[in-house]
Amino acid sequence: MARDSEATRARILDAAEAEFAAYGIAGSRVDRIADAAQANKALIYKYFGTKDELFDAVFAHRVLAFVDEVEFDATDLPGYAGRSFDLYERFPTTLRLTTWYQLERPDGKLPAIVASNDAKLAKIEEAQRAGRLTSAYSPLELLTEVRALAMSWHLHTPELALVRRPSRARCREIVVESVRRLVAQA
């Protein structure tokens, strides 16, 4: 029975990720999630609580998957940016969920995200104190710029998307080289 419960929860999370990525929190409908997951709405509420709590579970799951898959090394921020770019390529819903989170939860404080950010900022500060990373920028400034560069090819206006994009390899190369130049500044 536990196996069926785990499988149902996984189907609900997958269906909810697709729904939230497409419609955001406000526009998503629990009945569509239930249909896509082949589960009833009562189970969704039993497992996750409210629709907002379901979004939090989906977003935290995606963030933890990102943290598990994309190694963070403060002394290799270009490599981190490249690995982040790769993940955004493989899982475009990550950025869609992030965008909805920023729009609909501007004051959000999900523990998984807070912990991930705190750990990264501490590692950057430690690398700066040890002289292994530029101190031209604060840890927050560096992390913000690295994240922005890693996301840059995935976040642009629809009109810019009409212009022929460079190859995936070239886009990744630009991201990595841009971060390399950023951290090389003294």
Side-chain angles (χ1 to χ4, degrees):
M1 188 63 130
R3 189 169 163 218
D4 289 342
S5 173
E6 290 173 27
T8 301
R9 286 176 68 91
R11 286 195 320 272
I12 291 169
L13 282 172
D14 288 345
E17 181 173 333
E19 178 77 9
F20 288 128
Y23 301 104
I25 302 168
S28 291
R29 299 291 173 258
V30 174
D31 56 336
R32 286 194 302 244
I33 295 169
D35 288 345
Q38 299 176 345
N40 65 52
K41 285 171 50 172
L43 277 179
I44 293 174
Y45 293 118
K46 177 184 174 191
Y47 292 152
F48 299 100
T50 66
K51 181 172 73 168
D52 283 73
E53 291 170 319
L54 176 58
F55 177 84
D56 291 349
V58 166
F59 194 56
H61 175 76
R62 177 53 53 210
V63 168
L64 292 174
F66 183 96
V67 169
D68 286 347
E69 188 163 334
V70 181
E71 178 189 356
F72 182 81
D73 179 352
T75 63
D76 182 23
L77 292 177
Y80 172 73
R83 291 186 297 277
S84 297
F85 173 88
D86 294 340
L87 186 121
Y88 298 141
E89 284 283 301
R90 285 195 328 274
F91 300 105
T93 58
T94 301
L95 287 177
R96 291 187 61 87
L97 290 169
T98 299
T99 300
W100 284 116
Y101 179 77
Q102 291 169 329
L103 289 170
E104 298 188 63
R105 296 273 179 79
D107 298 322
K109 292 180 180 72
L110 286 176
I113 297 169
V114 171
S116 174
N117 288 337
D118 286 349
K120 288 178 181 90
L121 293 169
K123 288 177 182 179
I124 290 171
E125 185 175 5
E126 180 182 317
Q128 287 176 322
R129 276 197 313 265
R132 295 188 323 246
L133 185 61
T134 181
S135 294
Y137 306 99
S138 73
L140 178 60
E141 292 165 345
L142 271 176
L143 184 58
T144 299
E145 290 301 315
V146 170
R147 288 186 70 235
L149 287 164
M151 295 177 194
S152 62
W153 287 101
H154 305 93
L155 300 175
H156 47 68
T157 65
E159 295 79 10
L160 192 56
L162 297 173
V163 178
R164 190 169 158 266
R165 177 181 161 176
S167 70
R168 180 198 174 287
R170 176 66 180 146
C171 291
R172 187 184 197 282
E173 179 184 316
I174 292 166
V175 166
V176 171
E177 179 60 17
S178 296
V179 174
R180 188 194 63 74
R181 289 179 184 198
L182 176 72
V183 298
Q185 296 180 10

